[in-house]
Amino acid sequence: MTGFAPLPGPFGVATADVDLAQPLADGAFRELERAFYANQVLALRGQRITAGQFIAFARRLGPPQPHVIDQFHHPDDANILILSNVKKDGRPTGLADAGSYFHTDYSYLAVPARATTLYSRVVPRVGGHTLFANQLAAYDDLPEAMKRRIAPLRAVHHYGNRHDLDEASRTVASVLNDDQKAKMPLVTHRIARPHPVTGRTSLYAVSGSSFGIVGWPDDEARSLLDELAAHATQPKYQLRFGYGVGDIVVWDNAALLHSATLTDPDDARTLWRVTVLESAEQGAAPDVLAPSYAPPAGSR
Ligand SMILES: [Fe+2]
């Protein structure tokens, strides 16, 4: 039996009883999976594992999807994205400042992310926390009239942060080159979205990659999305997670928004990231908009 302790916040659990350098029996993995879906954030403390062991664990949660930013893929496995502010010979060794605004990973893909796993390798002296906001609770607390209003609505998503499109900013979505931009689709997802595993309804990606609402004028869509985002990111829905060296954190992208926090660029920090997808059979039916759809002005 694995011992779980609640994280210091309204959701999330941690355990120090798991060593991913050793084989993990199916029964033990299922116990972790249950804890994950029941608590939205699962932390496995103090791991010391290889890239291969990290990927093997992530694969049990879902199919890994390499990040579009391919210049910082791990040399041993492209499914691992290196997040780091460390420079070697004046060149970055990883992606710095990634995701420093509330968003949901891969919500700009037709089949989005089920879970993201981060493996903390180098912890900064100060800060470096990840903020999570519980979108199940945020949905539950909406007035019934708002639940009825958003029930039929689909948001239009594409890669980016609708609140910051300045490519020189530290809180813009990590900047893509032209080839990478060309690969990014325009997709829709329900705003009130049933969780593909648990079935519980959640607000989905109302901050980050949502730029419009299908059939709505841009200004009205932005206004409603901003109202929902302000509600959904209130402190009462948030967990602030602080990393120890070797910690692995796994979070449920269908139930949470999350945001990195900016750190001192000279305070070394490195994490490895693997993101795994939902499966299309579990309700994430691909829904890619026709190329003729015009994205909201200024959002590309
Ligand atoms: Fe993220």
Side-chain angles (χ1 to χ4, degrees), residues 18-22 44-51 53-54 119-121 245-248 272:
V18 172
D19 178 2
L20 294 182
Q22 306 298 323
L44 309 176
R45 300 289 191 191
Q47 305 298 311
R48 232 182 131 88
I49 57 172
T50 64
Q53 287 165 333
F54 184 37
Y119 176 25
S120 173
R121 309 272 303 173
V245 173
D247 287 355
I248 286 181
W272 291 354

Side-chain angles (χ1 to χ4, degrees), residues 2-16 31-45 239 241 248-251:
T2 306
F4 294 103
L7 290 171
F11 56 95
V13 288
T15 179
E31 203 181 342
L32 293 182
E33 205 176 29
R34 275 196 299 275
F36 168 64
Y37 286 119
N39 297 281
Q40 295 79 48
V41 174
L42 170 66
L44 309 176
R45 300 289 191 191
L239 164 72
F241 183 83
I248 286 181
V249 64
V250 188
W251 70 81

Side-chain angles (χ1 to χ4, degrees), residues 99 103 105 251 258 273:
H103 66 283
D105 288 337
W251 70 81
H258 65 279
R273 164 180 151 164

Side-chain angles (χ1 to χ4, degrees), residues 230-297:
H231 164 75
T233 55
Q234 293 176 80
K236 66 181 175 182
Y237 299 127
Q238 288 189 27
L239 164 72
R240 174 178 284 266
F241 183 83
Y243 296 85
V245 173
D247 287 355
I248 286 181
V249 64
V250 188
W251 70 81
D252 183 342
N253 281 294
L256 302 174
L257 288 170
H258 65 279
S259 174
T261 53
L262 293 172
T263 57
D264 177 349
D266 296 323
D267 193 2
R269 169 182 215 219
T270 300
L271 306 115
W272 291 354
R273 164 180 151 164
V274 178
T275 300
V276 302
L277 298 181
E278 295 179 353
S279 54
E281 308 82 66
Q282 284 181 319
D287 187 2
V288 182
L289 287 175
S292 60
Y293 181 90

